[in-house]
């Protein structure tokens, strides 16, 4: 197979030490910017609305254009990076993200801001799968890769949780456009760094790139995410604006899957989903994000509307969740080696469910200690789950399909986030509305308007004034807290379902030598790892360099001869049909 790696990249790969972690730093800064942009705008919406005066529909698109476009294009750019080069796609994403940020910061019309947010989504879709697939390539050893993924997932949590805090600070001290303007100097720094430090790599390049399939996947994901978001906004599920995009998107995705199964060179190898660990990991990512985003949205409403905290104070209250997520990412590699993916994901879900049930003790009065403990357990448990699920998913995919696998993981992330807002938001609304059905002294029309949301109820109560307004205000607070408790219980049930799903994951963290490394376009010179069985990731004391690999005809695997003396012989290796390369002297029986 044609080699595409440059001499400089070979030297970086052969270095095996500092450069890999410098590359990880660049990738994490990239992800941090994308994660920040997903949440930093939320606290700027009131100021933005006052300045630009957008219609309700335009405001909705200003908020949703970024996640919608980003989610729909992940598969397209993830698989394109496998073909034309992941570094190339990533650098183009940097440039586009910086330009779009400048346009958004200086926008004077709602239409210009919507277009800029859409371009930011395109840039984000180019960056997100590329960071994960490059990480998969630069860290071929699973032990090191687990550490890198722990740092990567913690960075995503930091960005998502820091966004409201940073956004609140910027809006209070500057103007709403500053939440976009901060991206420009960071992109100006990271673009030359990425160009200099990141290695180029490609995956499978056989056959033409399936342009039609990529567009079908983009349209299908866009339809599904749009339908889910409309349902989360409270629109009836069977209404045409909600059901239409959902059905169309689902239909296109079904056609996409059938097309990929028939093509000799598919965008995504659907055989990945025949692997229980891969499919289960994707499902766990969906459930984990479903719980996290839905709970964060409700928690923000509780902190601001029930406890009366400012946006900045709300962001600070959520910081324990971020710090706990960072701790889970930092210790994830060690924990994964000790207890294995199955128990790590399963117990992570159980711990998160316990944290959610603890938060049901929240009431109308502020209880800072309870909230802090609940958020710490929630952040640690959920980050533990997401880390192990991402690591298992990426390790199940061969290196040549890293871009497609990363795109599937990120799409699952986005779909889970959208479903969390839709599902838990619907549960919250269903539990909240009945509490305002018959408030003494409040007209039926006022009660109906107040049942839409707690913020709307406060506006109606202020308009009514007097005892009726006070009664509506108290009833709305009580109904919201009651709905919050029911929503938390539903979330705990979903998390426990995730814990049951995790039983399909492997018991131990297997670390086989990867046969694909000799055939992929990015060549990594690593130590010959195993004098131990391939089912263990314990530290290995004796290591010696790998022999130079010869091209092989069968990508599946090769057989390494035993006993140890035969390794010095010059005979060519014999192609075999094993799924993993067994190190000589590992003690495993030959097949």
């Amino acid at each position: 197979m044609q080699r595409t790696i440059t001499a400089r990249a070979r030297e970086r790969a052969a270095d095996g030490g500092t450069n890999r972690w410098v590359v990880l730093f660049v990738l994490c800064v990239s992800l941090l910017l994308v994660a920040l942009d997903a949440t930093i705008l939320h606290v700027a919406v009131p100021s933005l609305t006052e300045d630009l005066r957008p219609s309700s529909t335009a405001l909705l698109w200003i908020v949703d254009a970024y996640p919608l476009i980003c989610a729909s294009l992940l598969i397209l750019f993830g698989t394109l990076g496998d073909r034309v080069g992941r570094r190339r796609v990533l650098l183009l994403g940097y440039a586009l993200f910086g330009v779009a940020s400048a346009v958004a910061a200086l926008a004077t019309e709602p239409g210009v801001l919507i277009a800029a947010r859409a371009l930011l989504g395109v840039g984000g879709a180019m960056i997100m799968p590329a960071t994960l697939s490059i990480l998969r390539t630069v860290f071929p050893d699973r032990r090191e890769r687990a550490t890198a993924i722990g740092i990567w997932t913690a960075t995503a949590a930091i960005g998502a949780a820091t966004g409201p805090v940073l956004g609140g600070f910027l809006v209070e001290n500057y103007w709403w456009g500053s939440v976009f303007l901060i991206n420009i100097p960071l992109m100006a720094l990271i673009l030359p760094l990425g160009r200099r430090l990141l290695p180029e790599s490609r995956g499978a390049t056989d056959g033409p790139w399936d342009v039609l399939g990529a567009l079908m996947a983009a349209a299908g994901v866009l339809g599904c995410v749009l339908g889910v978001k409309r349902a989360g906004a409270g629109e009836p599920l069977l209404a045409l604006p909600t059901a239409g995009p959902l059905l169309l998107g689902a239909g296109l995705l079904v056609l996409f899957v059938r097309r990929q199964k028939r093509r000799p060179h598919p965008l995504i190898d659907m055989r990945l989903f025949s692997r229980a660990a891969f499919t289960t990991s994707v499902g766990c990512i969906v459930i984990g994000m479903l719980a996290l985003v839905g709970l964060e949205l409700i928690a923000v409403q509780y902190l601001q509307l029930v406890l009366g905290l400012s946006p900045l104070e709300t962001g600070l209250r959520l910081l324990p969740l971020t710090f706990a997520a960072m701790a889970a990412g930092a210790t994830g590699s060690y924990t994964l080696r000790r207890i294995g993916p199955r128990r790590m994901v399963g117990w992570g879900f159980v711990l998160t469910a316990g944290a959610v049930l603890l938060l049901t003790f929240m009431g109308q009065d502020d209880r800072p200690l309870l909230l802090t403990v609940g958020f710490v357990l929630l952040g640690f448990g959920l980050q533990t789950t997401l880390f192990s699920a991402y690591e298992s998913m990426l390790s199940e995919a061969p290196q040549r399909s890293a871009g497609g696998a990363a795109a599937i993981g990120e799409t699952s992330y986005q779909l889970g986030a959208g479903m969390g807002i839709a599902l838990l938001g619907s549960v919250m609304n269903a539990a909240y509305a009945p509490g305002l059905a018959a408030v003494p002294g409040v007209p039926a029309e006022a009660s109906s308007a107040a049942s839409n949301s707690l913020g709307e109820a406060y506006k109606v109560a202020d308009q009514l004034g007097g005892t009726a307004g006070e009664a509506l205000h108290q009833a709305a607070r009580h109904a919201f807290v009651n709905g919050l408790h029911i929503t938390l219980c539903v979330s705990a049930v979903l998390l426990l379902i995730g814990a049951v799903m995790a039983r399909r994951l492997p018991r131990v963290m297997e670390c086989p030598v990867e046969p694909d490394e000799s055939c992929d376009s990015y060549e990594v010179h690593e130590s010959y790892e195993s004098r131990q069985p391939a089912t263990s990731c314990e530290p290995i004391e004796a290591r010696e360099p790998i022999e130079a690999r010869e091209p092989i005809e069968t990508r599946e695997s090769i057989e390494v001869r035993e006993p140890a003396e035969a390794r010095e012989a010059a005979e060519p290796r014999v192609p075999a049909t094993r799924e993993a390369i067994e190190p000589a002297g590992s003690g495993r029986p030959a097949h």
Side-chain angles (χ1 to χ4, degrees):
M1 181 174 289
Q2 181 182 5
R3 307 284 186 177
T4 60
I5 190 168
T6 64
R8 182 180 297 177
R10 286 180 185 272
E11 292 174 4
R12 286 198 295 266
D15 184 24
T18 305
N19 282 349
R20 286 204 298 274
W21 302 103
V22 173
V23 168
L24 177 63
F25 171 78
V26 175
L27 297 178
C28 285
V29 173
S30 311
L31 181 66
L32 181 65
L33 289 172
V34 176
L36 273 173
D37 214 72
T39 58
I40 197 171
L41 181 64
H42 293 169
V43 295
V45 167
S47 176
L48 181 156
T49 304
E50 183 178 352
D51 188 15
L52 298 185
R53 302 291 181 180
S55 65
S56 57
T57 302
L59 182 61
L60 183 65
W61 279 106
I62 288 172
V63 175
D64 288 344
Y66 175 82
L68 282 174
I69 299 300
C70 183
S72 63
L73 296 178
L74 286 168
I75 292 177
L76 188 152
F77 286 118
T79 56
L80 181 62
D82 285 341
R83 296 301 181 105
V84 305
R86 295 151 185 160
R87 172 177 171 270
R88 180 179 299 175
V89 171
L90 182 60
L91 294 179
L92 288 174
Y94 288 163
L96 183 59
F97 206 85
V99 171
S101 297
V103 175
L106 302 176
T108 57
E109 297 290 337
V112 175
L113 184 55
I114 292 171
R117 289 279 289 171
L119 286 177
L120 282 169
V122 176
M126 299 174 81
I127 293 171
M128 291 178 71
T131 59
L132 196 54
S133 55
I134 291 176
L135 184 151
R136 170 69 173 80
T137 301
V138 173
F139 292 90
D141 179 78
R142 188 170 181 181
R143 284 182 296 273
E144 287 190 345
R145 185 166 67 239
T147 302
I149 292 176
I151 298 171
W152 186 88
T153 54
T155 301
I158 293 169
T162 308
V165 180
L166 181 59
F169 172 79
L170 291 172
V171 171
E172 287 183 7
N173 292 277
Y174 302 99
W175 95 108
W176 62 264
S178 60
V179 301
F180 299 109
L181 208 59
I182 61 168
N183 293 336
I184 298 175
L186 292 174
M187 281 299 173
L189 172 66
I190 201 172
L191 184 58
L193 278 178
R195 188 172 182 273
R196 178 178 177 82
L197 298 174
L198 295 178
E200 183 59 284
S201 65
R202 294 190 178 106
T205 56
D206 299 330
W209 187 56
D210 184 9
V211 179
L212 178 60
L215 295 176
M216 289 173 62
V221 174
L222 177 62
C224 289
V225 174
L226 181 59
V228 166
K229 280 186 170 291
R230 288 185 180 276
E235 296 190 17
L237 184 60
L238 298 180
L240 183 61
T242 304
L246 271 176
L247 294 176
L248 180 60
L252 285 172
L253 289 179
V254 169
L255 292 176
F256 169 75
V257 171
R258 294 181 62 182
R259 178 180 176 85
Q260 298 308 298
K261 288 181 176 180
R262 292 196 305 265
R263 291 183 64 84
H265 305 292
L267 283 175
I268 294 176
D269 188 356
M270 291 299 164
R271 290 176 297 180
L272 288 173
F273 289 97
S274 66
R275 303 183 182 187
F278 185 88
T279 306
T280 303
S281 298
V282 170
C284 289
I285 291 171
V286 172
I287 290 181
M289 286 309 301
L290 187 153
L292 176 63
V293 175
L295 289 175
E296 278 192 343
L297 178 65
I298 295 171
V300 167
Q301 292 178 330
Y302 172 78
L303 293 172
Q304 290 187 358
L305 299 179
V306 175
L307 300 185
L309 302 181
S310 69
L312 182 58
E313 291 172 330
T314 299
L316 293 174
R317 283 293 188 93
L318 292 173
L319 281 182
L321 189 152
T322 303
F323 293 142
M326 292 170 59
T331 59
S333 177
Y334 174 81
T335 307
L336 185 62
R337 292 198 303 269
R338 298 293 297 175
I339 69 176
R342 180 184 299 181
R343 281 182 287 182
M344 188 168 180
V345 174
W347 285 110
F349 272 128
V350 171
L351 178 61
T352 309
V356 168
L357 292 176
L358 177 65
L359 291 175
T360 58
F361 290 97
M362 293 187 301
Q364 297 188 37
D365 298 323
D366 191 5
R367 303 180 66 181
L369 180 60
L370 172 68
L371 291 176
T372 300
V373 172
F375 287 156
V376 167
L377 295 178
L378 178 65
F380 191 89
L382 206 49
Q383 187 64 26
T384 296
T385 298
L386 290 174
F387 159 76
S388 188
Y390 264 110
E391 199 282 334
S392 298
M393 179 204 71
L394 208 57
S395 295
E396 280 294 311
Q399 196 275 336
R400 64 183 181 272
S401 302
I408 291 172
E410 294 299 332
T411 303
S412 304
Y413 185 101
Q414 297 290 341
L415 284 174
M419 290 171 61
I421 295 173
L423 179 60
L424 297 185
S426 298
V427 172
M428 181 70 193
N429 291 337
Y432 164 77
L436 301 178
V439 180
V442 177
E445 292 183 0
S447 296
S448 178
S451 66
N452 292 327
S453 68
L454 183 58
E456 186 70 19
Y458 285 173
K459 292 180 181 179
V460 174
D462 291 340
Q463 293 173 357
L464 288 175
T467 57
E470 181 63 25
L472 180 60
H473 190 278
Q474 292 298 323
R477 282 168 55 92
H478 179 77
F480 184 89
V481 172
N482 180 63
L484 174 62
H485 292 165
I486 294 174
T487 305
L488 290 172
C489 291
V490 172
S491 180
V493 171
L494 293 173
L495 292 166
L496 293 176
I497 292 173
V500 174
M501 285 176 53
R503 294 180 60 83
R504 299 184 67 203
L505 292 172
R507 287 180 178 273
V508 296
M509 177 183 173
E510 297 181 357
C511 295
V513 180
E514 299 186 4
D516 288 327
E517 292 300 327
S518 64
C519 295
D520 286 318
S521 56
Y522 180 84
E523 187 177 80
V524 179
H525 303 270
E526 57 179 327
S527 299
Y528 188 72
E529 296 292 345
S530 295
R531 298 287 172 254
Q532 301 290 335
T535 55
S536 173
C537 284
E538 295 300 318
I540 298 166
E541 297 180 0
R543 298 185 179 183
E544 63 186 82
I546 270 186
E547 296 290 331
R549 296 174 177 170
E550 296 294 330
I552 55 177
E553 296 180 3
T554 304
R555 292 186 62 90
E556 268 41 46
S557 58
I558 60 175
E559 180 181 350
V560 179
R561 295 185 306 280
E562 292 181 318
E565 292 79 11
R567 289 196 302 272
E568 303 299 329
E571 295 95 16
R573 296 178 177 176
V574 180
T577 57
R578 295 179 58 80
E579 297 253 331
I581 302 174
E582 293 297 340
S586 67
R588 288 196 173 192
H591 291 265

